[in-house]
Amino acid sequence: MKKILVIAALAGAAALPGPALPAAFDFNGSFAQDNDVVRFDFNLGLPGAVTLFTSSWLGGGFDPILTLWDGGGNQILEQDDGSLGGALVSNGVSYNYGEFDSYINLNLAAGNYIATLTQYDNFSVSTLLADGFLRDTDPVFTAAFACSNGRFCEGSLFDSNNNPVEPNRTAAWDVHILNVDSASVNSVPEPPTWMLLSLSGLFLLGGHCSRAGTAKPVSAELSV
């Protein structure tokens, strides 16, 4: 269930409405399968520096990938491991992020944008969102990374300091989008139909195939 908190302030009855002030949006949830994809839509009324980052790795969550797209689904940037870690404040809360979290900071023009969250190594197939992701047909692809849980496994055994990494991760994710006018969790993008047909060997004429094994986040919270 998504909780939405909106706080509005009126400067005065005679004042003309001005542009919305940039805000921060915090979302969290859990994947059901390794190859789940969560989509976020956000908007900028004016050009500005926008930050997107995850903060779930340090709490045991899976290795995330954030991909940024323009409003037409053309890829701007795909980001796996963002930095060596740090902390950022969003809505008055300081969130720590680790080296396996994703981190994007870009100057963007005014307009509509899309961000997608996937698990490593479920990268986009191409620079078009409509083409889907590498693991669209494999809901337990991280089992190949050989952790005892059989899913949500980490492929890297050591961090940058040569310390061992716990291979069994959880399904949890946390995503933060800073300095935008609006943001929301929306429908999960579907993979190209031909990928599903090649997996099943079934050819459907005039029908519509939806993605098997994809779940919307169990929970998502938004605050402004």
Side-chain angles (χ1 to χ4, degrees):
M1 178 179 295
K2 181 167 62 179
K3 300 177 182 177
I4 301 179
L5 172 64
V6 179
I7 302 175
L10 298 179
L16 293 175
L21 295 176
F25 298 83
D26 305 307
F27 304 90
N28 63 75
S30 296
F31 275 10
Q33 304 286 354
D34 281 337
N35 65 346
D36 282 355
V37 181
V38 180
R39 167 176 168 161
F40 307 89
D41 288 78
F42 64 93
N43 172 268
L44 279 75
L46 296 172
V50 174
T51 300
L52 301 90
F53 73 102
T54 65
S55 62
S56 41
W57 167 262
L58 291 178
F62 61 80
D63 188 349
I65 300 171
L66 283 176
T67 309
L68 179 63
W69 316 81
D70 67 19
N74 301 292
Q75 187 179 116
I76 298 172
L77 178 66
E78 189 163 62
Q79 215 290 315
D80 179 21
D81 302 331
S83 69
L84 293 180
L88 284 176
V89 174
S90 178
N91 292 305
V93 178
S94 180
Y95 293 95
N96 295 316
Y97 57 92
E99 67 173 282
F100 288 91
D101 278 305
S102 295
Y103 182 97
I104 294 173
N105 180 259
L106 282 179
N107 288 310
L108 297 176
N112 297 317
Y113 295 89
I114 300 165
T116 52
L117 172 71
T118 57
Q119 180 180 195
Y120 181 85
D121 59 358
N122 193 15
F123 292 100
S124 54
V125 169
S126 74
T127 57
L128 295 177
L129 178 58
D131 286 342
F133 295 83
L134 292 175
R135 306 295 189 173
D136 278 332
T137 59
D138 189 352
V140 290
F141 70 86
T142 67
F145 299 156
C147 71
S148 59
N149 286 346
R151 62 182 187 143
F152 304 112
C153 303
E154 171 53 39
S156 300
L157 299 181
F158 296 90
D159 64 16
S160 60
N161 294 317
N162 207 34
N163 295 318
V165 171
E166 169 56 50
N168 288 302
R169 314 303 299 182
T170 73
W173 57 264
D174 290 276
V175 171
H176 313 274
I177 304 177
L178 281 56
N179 300 322
V180 301
D181 293 303
S182 64
S184 61
V185 176
N186 286 302
S187 60
V188 176
E190 296 179 351
T193 301
W194 66 264
M195 293 180 66
L196 294 177
L197 294 178
S198 64
L199 178 69
S200 64
L202 298 176
F203 294 88
L204 305 178
L205 297 177
H208 177 78
C209 292
S210 61
R211 173 173 167 176
T214 298
K216 294 183 179 179
V218 171
S219 64
E221 294 185 356
L222 179 155
S223 53
V224 180

